[in-house]
Amino acid sequence: MLLMDSARRAGCSPVCLDLSVGLSPSSPGSSPETTADTERLDRPPAAGCRVTSSLSEDQAKTLEARLTQVSEENRRLTEMIAYLYASQVARQSPDSSRKRSRDSLEPSNSSDANGNGNGSGNTKAEPDHAVESALSDEGTCRRIKVTRVCTRIDPADTTLAVKDGYQWRKYGQKVTRDNPSPRAYFRCAYAPSCPVKKKVQRSAEDSSLLVATYEGEHNHPSPTRAGELPIAASATASGPVPCSISINSSGPTITLDLTKNGGGGVRVLDAAEAPDLKKLCQEIASPDFRTALVDQMARSLTKDPKFTDALAAAILQQLPEY
DNA sequence: CGTTTTTGACCCGCGC
DNA sequence: GCGCGGGTCAAAAACG
């Protein structure tokens, strides 16, 4: 979110803040906020598509100029992301790592997959699953998975409820120093057999953003999502939504913004899981990721009325007049 | 009446 | 040793 703001301040359109970050220029990707127009600009038409061939020379030049501009903005944002990411990693203090290493001594269930249930569950009627991130700890005997999920909520909503498909029991609430809004502590309802805990707190910067931090992994299926894949697997399977990339100011986390469509999980990485940006980019550039991304983009675009309208208009132009 | 939530007290690690 | 702050406990209250 901050990055998006920064991008706007820097005069960049959020349109180009896409997943082509760190990838080859041909990599597909777009923000959910991307308009149909830009979407067509970002990518050359597929083979056999006759749309561009019907454009006038002026239109072609305009489009080309626009493409150049978008590419330039993309490049600048890529650099910005890399810079911010590096800064965030550098800011990781020894304190925080010590704290997390202490956490890692807590009981954890590492035997099964990442059982974090979020994504399709979602909060409120509006499925506005905004940001996810994952933290993993290594270097100790045991390993506890820490996942951060941000959900867009109504600022007036005072309940710290994140409907993620699992049942939770609240066991405490505390006002923390760095945030005026209270932090709620939840344990999985299947405790003590399931050791997962979560902390939920509004973002200090954006009260409409609810930040849930999950610790540990569920050792049971979600009561409401039985049969579905756990987060990490589903993220790859369903594919990440075309999304903007932001950097969570609260920590060294690269987040993927699902603000618009919230249509599924997303592979998320942070400093602990992705030691450097290169690794992150390699992951994003993987064939599976790309395939899932293309699939998700197609689904997203077909849901976008602007896109369908533009497509219909383009098709209409190609129809012979009778 | 059983379950869940609330909330003040308590515990523990850390820095000074 | 003391204070601070985050995390947890557990009794009381609220809820269905």
Side-chain angles (χ1 to χ4, degrees), chain A residues 112-118 132 134 136 143 145 147 217 225 228-240 265-269 273 283 289:
Chain A
D112 75 351
N114 311 294
N116 192 297
N118 56 46
E132 293 178 14
S136 301
R143 176 184 159 129
K145 186 173 185 66
T147 306
E217 299 169 23
R225 298 177 70 238
E228 288 186 32
L229 293 165
I231 177 172
S234 65
T236 319
S238 64
V266 60
R267 186 74 177 99
V268 286
L269 300 164
E273 194 169 346
E283 182 145 356
F289 189 100

Side-chain angles (χ1 to χ4, degrees), chain A residues 247-314:
Chain A
I247 294 186
N248 191 330
S249 63
S250 63
T253 303
I254 284 186
T255 56
L256 303 182
D257 189 348
L258 300 171
T259 337
K260 288 300 175 194
N261 41 18
V266 60
R267 186 74 177 99
V268 286
L269 300 164
D270 95 320
E273 194 169 346
D276 54 44
L277 195 59
K278 188 177 176 184
K279 185 179 173 183
L280 168 68
C281 294
Q282 283 174 345
E283 182 145 356
I284 292 174
S286 70
D288 284 350
F289 189 100
R290 288 188 182 201
T291 303
L293 178 62
V294 169
D295 178 56
Q296 184 62 43
M297 282 176 58
R299 274 186 281 144
S300 175
L301 286 172
T302 53
K303 286 179 191 171
D304 186 344
K306 286 182 183 175
F307 175 78
T308 52
D309 287 348
L311 182 61

